[in-house]
Amino acid sequence: MAKLTLGTRGSRLALAQSEMIAAQLRALHPGLAVELQVITTKGDRILDVALSAVGDKGLFVKELEQALLAHEVDLCVHSCKDLPSQLPAGLTLAAFPERADPRDVLVAPLRGEGRAGGLADLPPGAIVGTSSLRRACQLRALRPDLELRDVRGNVDTRLRKLAEGQYEALVLAAAGLARLGLLGEGGHLVADGAAFVAGPIPAELMLPAVAQGTLAIECRADDAQTLGLLAPLDHAPTRAAALAERAFLRRLEGGCQVPIAAHATLDGGAVALRGLVGSLDGATVIRGEREGAPADAESLGAALADELIERGAGAILADLATGQRR
């Protein structure tokens, strides 16, 4: 009987995502045994510092990739937005399963009629929790009156802090809430006995993180058996979108320390890519759009990045780099 060892982080979301992929593999290949091996990453150990201050692009993946290269595991399931834009030599992204909702959601305690409100419904000066510079930049551009505070920890921890009143709202990824089974009808969700309501933020209003809502399955590039087993899980439109967005990020050489966002969709057979680079205070946001064939997804992403660099993103990135070196 064939057997695969799947490396995963130990968070509730990582385990849910890994179990989902393991179940799909078992269903596709009867008799295949898939076992999960929990690996702790640097991002799991550092919980009291903002992600943007840590300065490591591989916070949630480095130890997993080391286990792959050491042949301790056969594959890893990542939230694609956590992956650095460059992979270590010898590894490949074997499959991109169909993308979930890429949007952000605004989560607030359930009150009154319990209808999900939008950013415009937040009271002046409301305290909003987010650990993302990308979200903070766009929030400041849309609502400069809001007080933004860092929030770390897994989804359950963040919701507990919201229930305790440390924040008036949080901005989280829709896909993570859905995969944890927290999102109910009408955006209602319950965690640890506390009730909340989540309202999607249109991508046109807040551009998602690169590959948000996408899972990426990584394995060794020379592991023909595992590559063959994973092939049926690959979703071509999701792959094209992910490659375009990741190429955009790679050309900009951005990580969690830079407000960068991108979102690609496939419409009528073409890839439509939107991207942005912003300043930390949200005062300057450079946006752009491009379309191209799915086969040219990576060159499309690089071309849009070059366009934004010429239009002012290069200066923003240079200023951010200078500030980080001080």
Side-chain angles (χ1 to χ4, degrees), residues 134 136-142 205 207 259 261 275-288 308 311-313 316:
R134 168 193 64 85
C137 166
Q138 295 182 82
L139 284 170
R140 290 187 175 109
L142 292 164
L205 199 61
L207 212 57
L276 71 78
V277 177
S279 59
L280 293 178
D281 61 6
T284 304
V285 179
I286 312 296
R287 302 175 183 267
L308 297 195
R311 289 173 42 211
I316 293 175

Side-chain angles (χ1 to χ4, degrees), residues 244 263-275 288-297 299-301 303-304 307:
H263 182 221
T265 57
L266 269 73
D267 186 16
V271 178
L273 175 65
R274 289 178 293 159
E289 300 182 21
R290 290 223 172 187
E291 287 192 7
D296 301 324
S299 58
L300 177 70
L304 179 57
E307 176 191 327

Side-chain angles (χ1 to χ4, degrees), residues 5-308:
T5 302
L6 191 163
T8 178
R9 294 171 55 210
S11 74
R12 183 180 168 197
L13 177 57
L15 289 170
Q17 293 175 164
S18 294
E19 288 284 8
M20 180 178 72
I21 296 302
Q24 291 176 8
L25 283 168
R26 296 183 192 111
L28 282 166
H29 310 290
L32 176 67
V34 184
E35 296 181 359
L36 270 58
Q37 179 173 319
V38 174
I39 297 170
T40 302
T41 69
K42 182 177 180 180
D44 298 314
R45 293 190 296 269
I46 303 175
L47 297 176
D48 58 348
V49 180
L51 292 174
S52 57
V54 180
D56 188 336
K57 295 179 185 178
L59 272 178
F60 297 107
V61 301
K62 187 174 181 180
E63 288 83 358
L64 292 166
E65 291 179 330
Q66 289 173 338
L68 271 175
L69 292 169
H71 290 247
E72 295 169 0
V73 300
D74 301 302
L75 68 153
C76 296
V77 177
H78 305 288
S79 292
C80 194
K81 68 177 183 178
D82 291 336
L83 278 172
S85 57
Q86 297 278 10
L87 297 183
L91 300 182
T92 188
L93 299 182
F96 295 92
E98 186 171 1
R99 190 176 204 168
D101 188 343
R103 294 175 297 178
D104 293 307
V105 292
L106 186 71
V107 182
L110 182 63
R111 298 189 181 95
E113 298 179 4
R115 290 180 297 182
L119 291 173
D121 300 311
L122 290 173
I127 299 171
V128 179
T130 176
S131 58
S132 160
L133 293 183
R134 168 193 64 85
R135 289 172 179 149
C137 166
Q138 295 182 82
L139 284 170
R140 290 187 175 109
L142 292 164
R143 289 285 308 269
D145 62 293
L146 297 176
E147 182 180 342
L148 306 184
R149 295 183 184 174
D150 284 320
V151 56
R152 286 294 313 277
N154 57 34
V155 171
D156 291 329
T157 299
R158 297 183 191 201
L159 290 175
R160 186 182 69 249
K161 292 178 179 180
L162 177 61
E164 291 170 349
Q166 296 185 37
Y167 310 89
E168 292 172 72
L170 300 175
V171 181
L172 302 171
L177 294 174
R179 288 178 180 139
L180 286 171
L182 295 176
L183 273 183
E185 188 175 348
H188 288 203
L189 60 95
V190 176
D192 290 331
F196 308 90
V197 62
I201 304 174
E204 295 78 15
L205 199 61
M206 179 174 286
L207 212 57
V210 166
Q212 183 160 301
T214 300
L215 296 180
I217 308 177
E218 188 176 25
C219 70
R220 290 180 294 277
D222 63 356
D223 186 350
Q225 180 182 16
T226 301
L227 287 167
L229 293 169
L230 292 174
L233 294 178
D234 195 48
H235 184 249
T238 298
R239 174 175 284 275
L243 291 180
E245 295 171 26
R246 284 175 55 78
F248 176 79
L249 178 68
R250 184 163 54 249
R251 182 60 62 92
L252 293 169
E253 297 183 350
C256 60
Q257 298 168 289
V258 181
I260 292 175
H263 182 221
T265 57
L266 269 73
D267 186 16
V271 178
L273 175 65
R274 289 178 293 159
L276 71 78
V277 177
S279 59
L280 293 178
D281 61 6
T284 304
V285 179
I286 312 296
R287 302 175 183 267
E289 300 182 21
R290 290 223 172 187
E291 287 192 7
D296 301 324
E298 291 187 277
S299 58
L300 177 70
L304 179 57
D306 287 339
E307 176 191 327
L308 297 195

